[in-house]
């Protein structure tokens, strides 16, 4: 055998591990066998939203449908469970929790082209094995494994949930053993429903009432005014019992010069005729120096500074003895304030030094009428420059707002914002426009 061929044979044998290496008469370490690579982790299937991000109105437009398609890992068998999570942040306070929010979302679900059936969202904050921030979740009906599974979920949200905003919602599919076989996200953008817009009213010196409808646009918060009609100069106070707006929910009461209180029920979608004909509530209301709406009811301050709570009797809509339940004393000291208005179910109060205070709503279930508000929190000073203050609905696309008129007749908008769990006016203001000294009442 030639030297060259022998070298090739030896090298081949060494590579095969058949011959030990020998240097200087001693065996060297043999070449180690190749280490087998770790098996690759099983790929997880995909979840893809159909049609791109979904806009979900918070209001009366009715449900919209979220659709997505899951493609589980190849070879997946058996029944599969699926969950959609809403990673909500920026909770507004005021008693809002994951479980309360879940109860406010109406949904039906369809899997693999089947019929829609009711399905319920739930919160996670009470689950013993849950850690981390609270979530709102929807467990979808069980599906049998397939190469592709179509899901559809209808979403119907009430008014007032636009604070949820834009979400990238995780979707996860798991097999019977709990292993994830598909995952992805779907885009959901919760916005204020266009069917509902709040109203702001102004009464001019001739007694004519005008309606300004909110736009939901912070750069132009009010539409052009619409004439309601005359005769409103007979009233010494006109007070919304709740946020007035195009949904017709916001009723008002008006007190005439004789102290008789009148009830105006709201009418939906008619700025020129926002109320039904008035109904007499009863007399004796001149003993009050301030009236403020609260969740459909009324709080009233008497001449001695005592605040009284009139809870709305929801069973019967009209008549002095039935519009409100018997009044309940809240407490004294309310003569410290020279301006009172409602905001988001709570109240704003300006003291005589110009400091504004917020009373957050309490007694959500009506079981403690003597405690309609939580302890006050300070908003800030300098509010004595305004000749009129009014809490409104959401004029600019966020939370309920506050408008304030200065001595020159300019109207300013303070967007509602949550600080320390309380709905308050923002620290900065936006000019709405001038000429508002034409009105002797703004509400």
């Amino acid at each position: 055998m030639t030297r060259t061929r022998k070298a090739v044979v030896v090298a081949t044998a060494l590579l095969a591990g058949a011959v030990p290496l020998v240097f200087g008469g001693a065996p060297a370490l043999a070449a180690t066998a190749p280490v087998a690579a770790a098996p690759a982790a099983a790929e997880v299937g995909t979840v893809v939203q159909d049609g791109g991000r979904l806009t979900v109105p918070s209001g009366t437009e009715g449900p919209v449908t979220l659709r997505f398609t899951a493609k589980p890992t190849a070879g997946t068998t058996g029944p599969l469970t699926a969950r959609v999570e809403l990673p909500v942040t920026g909770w507004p306070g005021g008693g809002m929790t994951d479980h309360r929010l879940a109860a406010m979302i109406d949904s039906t679900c369809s899997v693999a082209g089947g019929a829609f059936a009711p399905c319920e969202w739930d919160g996670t904050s009470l689950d013993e094995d849950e850690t981390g921030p609270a979530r709102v979740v929807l467990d979808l009906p069980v599906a049998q494994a397939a190469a592709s599974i179509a899901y559809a979920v209808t979403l119907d949200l009430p008014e007032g949930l636009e604070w949820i905003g834009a979400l990238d919602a995780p979707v996860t599919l798991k097999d019977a053993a709990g292993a994830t076989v598909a995952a992805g996200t779907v885009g959901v953008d919760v916005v204020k429903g266009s069917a509902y817009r709040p109203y702001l009213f102004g009464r001019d010196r001739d007694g004519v009432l005008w309606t300004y409808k909110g736009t939901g646009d912070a750069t132009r918060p009010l539409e052009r005014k619409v004439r309601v009609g005359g005769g409103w100069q007979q009233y010494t106070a006109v007070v919304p019992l709740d946020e007035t707006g195009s949904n017709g929910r916001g009723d008002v009461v008006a007190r005439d010069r004789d102290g008789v209180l009148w009830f105006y029920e709201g009418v939906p979608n008619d700025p020129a005729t926002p109320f039904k004909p008035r109904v007499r509530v009863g007399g004796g209301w001149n003993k009050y120096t301030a009236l403020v709406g609260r969740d459909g009811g009324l709080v009233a301050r008497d001449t001695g500074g005592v605040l009284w709570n009139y809870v709305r009797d929801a069973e019967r809509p009209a008549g002095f003895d039935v519009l409100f339940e018997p009044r309940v004393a809240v407490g004294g000291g309310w003569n410290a304030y020279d301006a009172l208005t409602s905001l988001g179910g709570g109240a704003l109060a300006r003291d005589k030094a110009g400091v504004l205070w917020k009373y957050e709503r309490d007694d959500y279930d009506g079981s403690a009428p003597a405690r309609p508000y939580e302890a006050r929190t300070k908003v800030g000073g300098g509010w004595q420059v305004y000749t009129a203050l009014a809490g409104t609905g959401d004029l600019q696309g966020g939370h309920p707002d506050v408008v304030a008129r200065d001595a020159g007749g300019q109207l300013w908008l303070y967007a509602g914002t949550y600080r320390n769990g309380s709905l308050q006016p923002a620290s900065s203001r936006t000019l709405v426009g001038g000429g508002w000294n034409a009105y002797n009442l703004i509400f």
Side-chain angles (χ1 to χ4, degrees):
M1 182 181 295
T2 65
R3 180 177 298 180
T4 301
R5 184 179 178 188
K6 184 176 179 180
V8 171
V9 171
V10 172
T12 303
L14 289 174
L15 290 174
V19 180
L21 295 176
V22 179
F23 295 99
L29 293 175
T32 57
V35 177
E43 293 185 1
V44 175
T46 60
V47 173
V48 178
Q49 185 170 4
D50 301 338
R53 299 186 68 88
L54 179 69
T55 299
V56 183
S58 174
T60 58
E61 286 86 343
V64 293
T65 304
L66 172 67
R67 300 181 186 275
F68 55 90
T69 301
K71 294 184 178 181
T73 306
T76 299
T77 60
L80 304 180
T81 58
R83 169 174 280 194
V84 182
E85 301 179 12
L86 299 183
V88 177
T89 59
W91 294 89
M96 181 61 71
T97 67
D98 55 326
H99 290 278
R100 185 180 177 195
L101 175 58
M104 299 172 73
I105 305 174
D106 288 331
S107 288
T108 62
C109 298
S110 169
V111 177
F116 281 88
C119 49
E120 295 185 356
W121 294 81
D122 197 4
T124 63
S125 60
L126 301 180
D127 297 347
E128 293 182 358
D129 58 346
E130 286 289 336
T131 59
R135 295 166 294 144
V136 178
V137 300
L138 175 66
D139 290 319
L140 293 157
V142 173
Q144 290 300 315
S148 180
I149 307 171
Y151 290 91
V153 180
T154 64
L155 297 167
D156 194 359
L157 274 57
E159 298 166 11
L161 296 184
E162 57 274 4
W163 57 268
I164 294 174
L167 300 176
D168 291 321
V171 180
T172 306
L173 272 69
K174 294 184 178 182
D175 63 16
T180 299
V181 297
T185 60
V186 293
V188 176
D189 301 322
V190 181
V191 299
K192 191 172 189 66
S194 60
Y196 168 70
R197 289 285 182 260
Y199 290 156
L200 179 66
F201 294 97
R203 182 188 66 185
D204 67 24
R205 289 178 172 77
D206 295 325
V208 176
L209 191 67
W210 301 86
T211 307
Y212 292 84
K213 187 177 180 180
T215 65
D217 182 352
T219 64
R220 186 183 59 87
L222 298 176
E223 294 183 0
R224 295 177 63 88
K225 66 181 181 180
V226 175
R227 189 179 192 274
V228 176
W232 289 78
Q233 71 274 13
Q234 64 185 299
Y235 297 123
T236 58
V238 184
V239 178
L241 298 181
D242 209 332
E243 294 175 10
T244 56
S246 57
N247 62 352
R249 183 185 64 182
D251 309 321
V252 303
V253 291
R255 182 186 62 194
D256 66 24
R257 290 185 174 84
D258 295 325
V260 176
L261 196 69
W262 300 87
F263 173 72
Y264 286 87
E265 184 177 353
V267 172
N269 302 316
D270 192 351
T273 311
F275 309 114
K276 294 180 180 180
R278 68 180 190 176
V279 176
R280 190 179 192 272
V281 176
W285 289 80
N286 272 342
K287 60 177 173 284
Y288 297 118
T289 60
L291 302 174
V292 178
R294 181 187 173 276
D295 288 340
L298 195 66
V299 293
R301 181 186 64 191
D302 65 23
T303 55
V306 176
L307 195 70
W308 299 86
N309 187 13
Y310 287 86
V311 176
R312 179 76 169 268
D313 188 337
E315 299 298 323
R316 294 165 292 182
F320 174 74
D321 294 328
V322 295
L323 180 60
F324 304 116
E325 297 177 5
R327 71 177 189 172
V328 176
V330 176
W334 288 77
N335 274 343
Y337 302 118
D338 62 10
L340 292 168
T341 188
S342 60
L343 180 65
L348 288 174
R350 183 185 65 188
D351 66 24
K352 294 172 183 177
V355 176
L356 194 66
W357 302 86
K358 174 65 192 297
Y359 287 86
E360 191 65 23
R361 58 194 264 176
D362 201 345
D363 182 32
Y364 284 92
D365 61 1
S367 62
R371 196 189 66 242
Y373 303 121
E374 298 177 359
R376 70 179 189 176
T377 58
K378 185 177 179 181
V379 177
W383 289 79
Q384 70 274 9
V385 299
Y386 297 119
T387 60
L389 293 174
T392 72
D394 174 20
L395 298 175
Q396 48 76 48
H399 304 294
D401 304 318
V402 176
V403 293
R405 182 189 63 197
D406 63 24
Q410 291 183 312
L411 191 71
W412 299 88
L413 173 67
Y414 288 84
T417 184
Y418 277 91
R419 296 197 298 273
N420 300 321
S422 175
L423 175 64
Q424 301 181 16
S427 57
S428 60
R429 63 184 186 174
T430 301
L431 179 63
V432 176
W436 286 79
N437 274 341
Y439 300 118
N440 56 24
L441 181 63
I442 298 171
F443 62 93

